[in-house]
């Protein structure tokens, strides 16, 4: 057998593979179908029964991205946890021993999926608004703040999903933690002496203005940053440390 | 070429692998034998960079596995056939890895044919696969990148006798074309027919290594059988050879070389129907003796 030389698979290819892995299983398929159907349903309801104010592009888009922001991070979670719970890790890391590259590829895949779904939501919203034919004079207005804010909202949620998956490694606990921890955290934040501090840490509160398309002040951006440190960067750090130091067992 | 030097690994406070060294040459099949829990899997995982050794080092094709630029193209690995996403279709499982390695998708179908997974089976989700089908899928996966080295953990597990024979031929052919094969098993029978060399591990340590002949050189017993068992027994004792009746078929196991046994039979005028080294039985005894101290 003659000597051959091989090159390392590029990050583009690894990200494309991870994107494929996110959607080629039965669970991934059903999640996409669920997101698609719920989005159609949400837009349909607004278009059908909303008043003129509800049927503006801005308002339709606001509704259209809700199912995606809620459910798409689960794909991000499963993208990592399936390596462990579905025992893919032996194959994945035997093919790509630089484990950190796989984490980067998974984040890129999650972001890529988020961007595609986001664009589809915008297109669907445009169609919805056109069909709705609202008489509101601002019906075609779309602020850059809303576009940017909702996009950031969706993409950070995707990354957060990957981070929770990496830190917890087991699908059901990671999904429960992803949905329940913020609620518990918000409840604790209702305790009077903690309320102000939690304004910097409670992701639901800090992200709210972004999701609503408001223009953020420097302080509000700082709040977004600190809360993301807690909910996105910290679990990601824990996950990467576990991965790089630990044994790959599946 | 696979080389390991003094690999040791402690897991959960237990020394699972202790000072394991081995060397597999191109063109050979090495059987890595030991009871369950002897440290085979941990050793193989260290070879593949999935587990970091506490001491020692290992190289595949001359470099540490993790430094191979595109390992799938050079080393075919099957560590656990059950380790596949059950919700993914068999063909898709191969296609994903083909894409990772940069292998043409046409190669996926080629390998499905080669391992005997039919199109209808390849379209099914892995959940519906029997262990034997998963092993075939795993072998196809290992061969996907056209590697020069194969590292397989218990690949015969779950295969039927026909499947075991098929795999034996596949591995023999792979080695005969210059490839290096390391396969583990807890069953001597599965590997002894295909392996050129055997490495026996028990309680995390290598207890014996070498070709079958080398391993048996100090066991050296002969099986002999004749038309007249009683006359043969008399001839053997007349020649002063220690013989033991083995089984109901009138055969004897003798502590001597075949030539000495043959001469004894000639002197006694006995017609032999069988004469040869008792390799298989001897190897099985050896394997059992070497590994029976293990608590697994």
């Amino acid at each position: 057998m003659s000597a051959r030389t091989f090159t390392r698979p590029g990050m583009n290819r690894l990200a494309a593979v991870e994107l494929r892995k996110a959607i080629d299983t039965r669970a991934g398929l059903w999640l996409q179908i669920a997101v698609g159907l719920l989005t159609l349903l949400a837009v349909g309801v607004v278009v059908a029964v909303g008043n003129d104010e509800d049927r503006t592009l801005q308002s339709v888009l606001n509704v259209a991205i809700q199912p995606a922001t809620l459910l798409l991070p689960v794909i991000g979670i499963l993208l990592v946890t399936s390596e462990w719970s579905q025992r893919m890790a032996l194959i994945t890391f035997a093919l790509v021993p630089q484990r950190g590259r796989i984490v980067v590829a998974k984040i890129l895949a999650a972001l890529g999926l988020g961007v595609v779904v986001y664009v589809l939501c915008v297109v669907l919203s445009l169609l919805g608004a056109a069909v709705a034919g609202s008489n509101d004079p601002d019906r075609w207005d779309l602020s850059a703040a809303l576009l940017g804010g909702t996009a950031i909202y969706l993409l950070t949620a995707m990354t957060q999903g990957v981070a929770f998956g990496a830190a917890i490694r087991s699908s059901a606990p990671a999904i429960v933690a992803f949905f329940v921890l913020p609620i518990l955290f918000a409840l604790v934040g209702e305790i009077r002496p903690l309320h102000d501090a939690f304004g910097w840490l409670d992701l639901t509160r800090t992200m709210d203005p972004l999701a609503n398309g408001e223009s953020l002040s420097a302080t509000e951006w700082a709040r977004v940053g600190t809360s993301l440190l807690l909910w996105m960067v910290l679990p990601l750090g824990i996950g990467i440390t576990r991965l790089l130091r630990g044994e790959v067992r599946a | 070429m696979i080389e390991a030097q003094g690999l040791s690994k402690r897991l959960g406070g237990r020394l699972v692998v202790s000072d394991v060294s081995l060397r597999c040459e191109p063109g050979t099949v090495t059987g890595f034998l030991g009871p369950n829990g002897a440290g085979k899997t941990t050793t193989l995982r260290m070879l593949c960079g999935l587990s970091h050794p506490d001491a020692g080092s290992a190289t595949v094709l001359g470099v540490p596995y993790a430094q191979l630029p595109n390992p799938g193209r050079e080393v075919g690995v099957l560590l656990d056939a059950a380790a596949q996403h059950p919700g993914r279709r068999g063909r898709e499982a191969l296609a994903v890895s083909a894409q990772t390695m940069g292998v043409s998708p046409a190669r996926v179908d080629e390998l499905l044919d080669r391992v005997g997974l039919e199109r209808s089976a390849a379209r099914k989700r892995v959940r519906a696969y029997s262990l034997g089908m998963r092993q075939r899928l795993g072998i196809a996966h290992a061969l996907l990148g056209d590697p020069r080295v194969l590292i397989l953990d218990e690949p015969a597990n779950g295969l039927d006798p026909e499947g075991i024979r098929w795999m034996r031929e596949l591995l023999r052919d792979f080695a005969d074309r210059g490839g290096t094969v390391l396969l583990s098993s807890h069953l001597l029978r599965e590997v002894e027919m295909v392996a050129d060399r055997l490495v026996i591990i028990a309680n995390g340590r290598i207890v014996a290594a070498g070709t079958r002949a080398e391993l048996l050189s100090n066991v050296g017993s002969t099986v002999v059988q004749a038309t007249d068992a009683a006359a043969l027994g008399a001839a053997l004792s007349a020649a002063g050879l220690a013989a033991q009746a083995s089984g109901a078929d009138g055969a004897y196991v003798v502590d001597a070389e075949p030539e000495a046994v043959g001469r004894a039979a000639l002197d006694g005028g006995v017609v032999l129907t069988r004469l040869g080294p008792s390799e298989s039985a001897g190897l099985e005894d050896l394997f059992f003796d070497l590994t029976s101290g293990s608590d697994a």
Side-chain angles (χ1 to χ4, degrees):
Chain A
M1 294 186 186
S2 61
R4 301 168 296 180
T5 53
F6 298 102
T7 51
R8 214 161 75 154
M11 187 50 74
N12 287 348
R13 196 200 287 167
L14 293 185
V17 168
E18 290 302 331
L19 186 58
R20 180 176 188 165
K21 280 159 71 177
I23 57 184
D24 73 351
T25 64
R26 186 171 273 183
L29 178 71
W30 281 108
L31 271 168
Q32 293 164 85
I33 291 175
V35 170
L37 288 180
L38 284 173
T39 308
L40 278 174
L41 186 71
V43 170
V45 167
V46 173
V47 167
V49 304
N51 55 33
D52 276 351
E53 203 178 305
D54 291 333
R55 293 187 290 176
T56 61
L57 176 58
Q58 184 124 343
S59 162
V60 174
L61 178 61
N62 221 337
V63 171
I65 63 155
Q66 294 303 327
T69 20
L70 189 69
L71 289 182
L72 220 50
V74 175
I75 292 188
I77 292 173
L78 294 178
L79 189 49
V80 190
T81 55
S82 65
E83 294 287 344
W84 309 103
S85 58
Q86 310 298 351
R87 323 191 61 205
M88 290 295 301
L90 286 180
I91 290 174
T92 304
F93 296 111
L95 289 180
V96 183
Q98 303 80 24
R99 302 177 195 170
R101 298 184 78 217
I102 290 292
V103 179
V104 174
K106 284 185 187 293
I107 292 173
L108 290 177
L111 293 178
L113 186 63
V115 168
V116 169
V117 170
Y118 187 76
V119 169
L120 289 176
C121 284
V122 172
V123 170
L124 190 65
S125 303
L126 282 167
L127 289 173
V131 171
S134 164
N135 296 315
D136 192 301
D138 300 329
R139 64 181 184 275
W140 291 113
D141 278 9
L142 190 58
S143 71
L146 181 74
L147 263 184
T150 46
I152 291 174
Y153 192 75
L154 178 60
L155 295 181
T156 52
M158 291 300 294
T159 313
Q160 211 193 324
V162 173
F164 269 64
I168 297 175
R169 287 195 180 180
S170 176
S171 302
I175 292 170
V176 170
F178 183 82
F179 288 114
V180 173
L181 279 184
I183 297 173
L184 292 178
F185 198 78
L187 285 176
V188 174
E190 289 304 312
I191 299 169
R192 189 63 28 213
L194 297 176
H195 193 74
D196 286 350
F198 273 52
W200 289 83
L201 299 174
D202 185 344
L203 197 63
T204 327
R205 272 161 71 185
T206 61
M207 293 296 261
D208 206 38
L210 271 178
N212 291 329
E214 295 166 24
S215 295
L216 273 66
S217 68
T219 312
E220 283 175 317
W221 279 118
R223 286 171 191 263
V224 168
T226 50
S227 55
L228 281 177
L229 276 181
L230 178 64
W231 292 95
M232 190 174 83
V233 178
L234 179 67
L236 195 58
I238 293 172
I240 292 177
T241 311
R242 273 188 84 181
L243 180 64
L244 295 188
R245 295 229 179 119
E247 302 283 301
V248 174
R249 324 183 72 164
Chain B
M1 167 81 90
I2 303 170
E3 231 177 333
Q5 278 295 330
L7 289 176
S8 293
K9 182 73 190 178
R10 195 172 277 282
L11 285 173
R14 201 169 76 89
L15 192 60
V16 181
V17 173
S18 173
D19 196 25
V20 164
S21 300
L22 52 86
R23 189 184 164 89
C24 309
E25 302 283 347
T28 66
V29 177
T30 303
F32 193 30
L33 268 172
N36 291 324
K40 300 187 297 289
T41 299
T42 306
T43 302
L44 296 185
R45 288 184 2 179
M46 285 192 278
L47 294 180
C48 300
L50 296 171
S51 176
H52 304 300
D54 295 330
S57 62
T59 59
V60 180
L61 294 166
V63 294
Y65 183 94
Q67 283 173 26
L68 293 167
N70 194 350
R73 301 298 297 275
E74 304 189 73
V75 187
V77 175
L78 173 58
L79 290 183
D80 185 348
Q84 267 292 358
H85 197 304
R88 195 167 275 135
R89 297 177 197 282
R91 191 184 183 289
E92 174 69 9
L94 293 186
V96 165
S97 290
Q99 192 183 353
T100 308
M101 305 178 212
V103 169
S104 120
R107 179 119 178 106
V108 171
D109 292 313
E110 197 183 312
L111 276 154
L112 286 170
D113 289 341
R114 176 119 175 253
V115 302
L117 276 177
E118 298 187 0
R119 287 290 135 49
S120 58
R123 275 196 299 272
K124 285 195 182 121
R125 294 188 195 271
V126 175
R127 186 191 317 282
Y129 280 30
S130 65
L131 183 54
M133 285 165 80
R134 286 181 198 217
Q135 291 287 13
R136 285 175 187 266
L137 187 68
I139 300 276
H141 190 273
L143 293 171
L144 199 54
D146 192 20
R148 285 184 288 164
V149 176
L150 284 178
I151 297 177
L152 312 170
D153 196 7
E154 300 273 358
N157 203 3
L159 288 179
D160 53 22
E162 184 265 326
I164 291 178
R165 186 197 185 105
W166 161 78
M167 194 176 57
R168 207 153 61 205
E169 283 163 7
L170 186 144
L171 297 181
R172 186 71 263 161
D173 178 57
F174 184 89
D176 288 346
R177 286 183 294 116
T180 309
V181 181
L182 175 61
L183 82 155
S184 79
S185 178
H186 63 283
L187 297 174
L188 173 69
R189 297 266 171 212
E190 279 176 4
V191 294
E192 65 167 332
M193 289 184 71
V194 67
D196 303 297
R197 289 186 77 248
L198 293 170
V199 176
I200 300 177
I201 184 171
N203 288 323
R205 292 174 183 280
I206 304 282
V207 289
T211 63
R212 196 184 330 196
E214 284 165 4
L215 288 177
L216 286 171
S217 61
N218 44 10
V219 177
S221 54
T222 300
V223 181
V224 62
Q225 196 176 353
T227 49
D228 183 343
L232 175 61
L236 289 170
S237 63
L241 298 173
Q244 224 179 350
S246 123
D249 57 357
Y252 290 86
V253 176
V254 189
D255 252 354
E257 293 299 310
E259 185 185 331
V261 177
R263 286 189 185 286
L266 180 66
D267 293 345
V270 187
V271 179
L272 293 185
T273 54
R274 180 150 71 110
L275 176 67
S278 80
E279 273 197 3
S280 192
L283 202 55
E284 194 151 20
D285 288 345
L286 178 71
F287 178 51
F288 189 72
D289 286 349
L290 289 171
T291 58
S292 60
S294 88
D295 46 25

